[in-house]
Amino acid sequence: MSLSISSWKSLGHIAASINASERTIFAMLTGYFYDAGGADHGFTVVAGWVSTVERWRIFADQWEQMLAAFQIPWFDMKTLSHFKEVYTDWKQQPEIKNEFQSAACRVIASSAAVGFASIVPHDAFARVNAVYRAKEYFGNEYALAGLTCCIKMRKWARKQESPQPLEIVFDDGTAKRGKLTEAMLKARFAEPIFRSPLPKPDRPPNVVQLQAADFLAYEVRKVQKDDPEKTRSIEDHRISLRKLAWIDADWGAYSEENLMHLCEGIGVEKRSK
């Protein structure tokens, strides 16, 4: 798949920068992923961050302190972008939004080891599905994007000599999570965990790490919408994206050719003519 976005920040130097003694910090890795886009956008994004249990614990403390400093109870990128609910007053003070996003990027950068994102264009998926039984195999665009992030995470973890299995958490707000579970089990992952990034009644406690994944998913969605051909340099994008791009990451979008090769490579059955 295309990795033009990830050319802004190479993943390759991570392994070289971690010596043998430091590799022990990767003993327990957890990934938190969020989805964005959808049929109305013409593509689906799944994106998120991976780090150790201990670093995620530190993140949670720092994130809660940051929210308290800005006098907001939680973070939701879509709500913030429209200045709704707890962000209503910020519409008249856009500098507060900018300060908050800069602070959020700093907290994420201090704890996240690596970020992953996968974009699946719906038209490309549909054309490939007309040739291969892609929908039957992967389930849908969301499941493919989510599974791709999991595979990226597993490959990266192996390079860090991290023991398996991995813990992988997704936002529970999507209606298509059953297909993701099927795809992950087929690929021999543990069953994914679904949690809410925001407080909800009669639900398990919210997971603030998913709020950081929401931040990344929104920014990747914005790039895909505004610059689908990836012709703009990183300097021409939002400052929040530029700050996140300094964190080691592997972000990429499938093309129709990529999807064809994927189906061929893993033996997805062709449709009868």
Side-chain angles (χ1 to χ4, degrees), residues 11-20 22-23 160 248:
L11 181 64
H13 71 275
I14 296 177
S17 67
I18 303 172
N19 63 37
E22 289 174 323
R23 284 194 177 111
Q160 315 311 316
D248 291 301

Side-chain angles (χ1 to χ4, degrees), residues 63-169:
W63 193 260
E64 294 285 9
Q65 291 171 16
M66 179 195 66
L67 294 178
F70 283 88
Q71 300 182 345
I72 54 175
W74 41 260
F75 169 75
D76 177 72
M77 195 66 174
K78 186 176 181 180
T79 308
L80 171 60
S81 66
H82 292 93
F83 296 104
K84 293 183 177 180
E85 299 185 36
V86 298
Y87 308 105
T88 302
D89 294 341
W90 292 10
K91 190 171 185 178
Q92 305 305 320
Q93 298 175 291
E95 67 277 5
I96 297 180
K97 176 185 176 182
N98 294 336
E99 291 173 6
F100 172 80
Q101 290 183 314
S102 293
C105 289
R106 288 194 295 271
V107 174
I108 294 171
S110 70
S111 293
V114 64
F116 297 111
S118 176
I119 305 167
V120 180
H122 288 214
D123 56 351
F125 186 87
R127 288 193 293 271
V128 172
N129 186 59
V131 179
Y132 291 91
R133 299 175 67 85
K135 192 169 185 179
E136 290 87 342
Y137 191 94
F138 298 110
N140 51 43
E141 297 89 345
Y142 164 72
L144 174 57
L147 177 61
T148 300
C149 286
C150 294
I151 292 171
K152 288 174 181 285
M153 177 180 173
R154 182 161 62 185
K155 289 181 177 179
W156 183 83
R158 286 173 176 168
K159 288 182 179 179
Q160 315 311 316
E161 299 181 5
S162 173
Q164 307 291 323
L166 308 170
E167 184 176 66
I168 306 177
V169 183

Side-chain angles (χ1 to χ4, degrees), residues 1-271:
M1 61 187 295
S2 169
L3 296 179
S4 54
I5 301 178
S6 64
S7 65
W8 292 337
K9 192 65 178 177
S10 172
L11 181 64
H13 71 275
I14 296 177
S17 67
I18 303 172
N19 63 37
S21 62
E22 289 174 323
R23 284 194 177 111
T24 59
I25 71 168
F26 291 94
M28 296 183 66
L29 289 173
T30 304
Y32 294 92
F33 295 96
Y34 200 94
D35 61 289
D40 56 333
H41 287 79
F43 60 89
T44 292
V45 174
V46 173
W49 305 104
V50 175
S51 198
T52 65
V53 170
E54 175 60 19
R55 285 168 72 173
W56 278 131
R57 183 193 64 76
I58 295 170
F59 166 88
D61 291 341
Q62 293 179 340
W63 193 260
E64 294 285 9
Q65 291 171 16
M66 179 195 66
L67 294 178
F70 283 88
Q71 300 182 345
I72 54 175
W74 41 260
F75 169 75
D76 177 72
M77 195 66 174
K78 186 176 181 180
T79 308
L80 171 60
S81 66
H82 292 93
F83 296 104
K84 293 183 177 180
E85 299 185 36
V86 298
Y87 308 105
T88 302
D89 294 341
W90 292 10
K91 190 171 185 178
Q92 305 305 320
Q93 298 175 291
E95 67 277 5
I96 297 180
K97 176 185 176 182
N98 294 336
E99 291 173 6
F100 172 80
Q101 290 183 314
S102 293
C105 289
R106 288 194 295 271
V107 174
I108 294 171
S110 70
S111 293
V114 64
F116 297 111
S118 176
I119 305 167
V120 180
H122 288 214
D123 56 351
F125 186 87
R127 288 193 293 271
V128 172
N129 186 59
V131 179
Y132 291 91
R133 299 175 67 85
K135 192 169 185 179
E136 290 87 342
Y137 191 94
F138 298 110
N140 51 43
E141 297 89 345
Y142 164 72
L144 174 57
L147 177 61
T148 300
C149 286
C150 294
I151 292 171
K152 288 174 181 285
M153 177 180 173
R154 182 161 62 185
K155 289 181 177 179
W156 183 83
R158 286 173 176 168
K159 288 182 179 179
Q160 315 311 316
E161 299 181 5
S162 173
Q164 307 291 323
L166 308 170
E167 184 176 66
I168 306 177
V169 183
F170 290 87
D171 169 39
D172 71 354
T174 177
K176 299 178 180 180
R177 62 190 192 183
K179 295 296 185 182
L180 174 60
T181 298
E182 292 176 11
M184 287 182 62
L185 292 176
K186 186 183 296 185
R188 298 184 179 180
F189 283 94
E191 188 168 335
I193 301 167
F194 292 94
R195 292 289 183 268
S196 173
L198 304 178
K200 293 183 180 180
D202 304 321
R203 293 283 188 91
N206 63 300
V207 177
V208 295
Q209 292 86 348
L210 285 169
Q211 295 178 24
D214 173 20
F215 197 135
L216 180 60
Y218 184 93
E219 293 294 346
V220 175
R221 179 201 66 81
K222 195 80 168 61
V223 170
Q224 183 66 14
K225 179 182 177 182
D226 296 346
D227 186 27
E229 301 302 321
K230 312 299 180 298
T231 57
R232 292 160 55 180
S233 70
I234 184 64
E235 289 76 17
D236 294 329
H237 288 280
R238 288 154 49 95
I239 189 170
S240 49
L241 177 78
R242 300 202 302 270
K243 290 177 180 293
L244 292 178
W246 279 104
I247 307 171
D248 291 301
D250 183 347
W251 309 348
Y254 278 105
S255 66
E256 183 176 344
E257 182 181 8
N258 295 149
L259 288 170
M260 287 286 191
H261 288 164
L262 175 64
C263 290
E264 292 170 6
I266 63 177
V268 178
E269 184 181 352
K270 280 193 172 184
R271 297 192 182 280

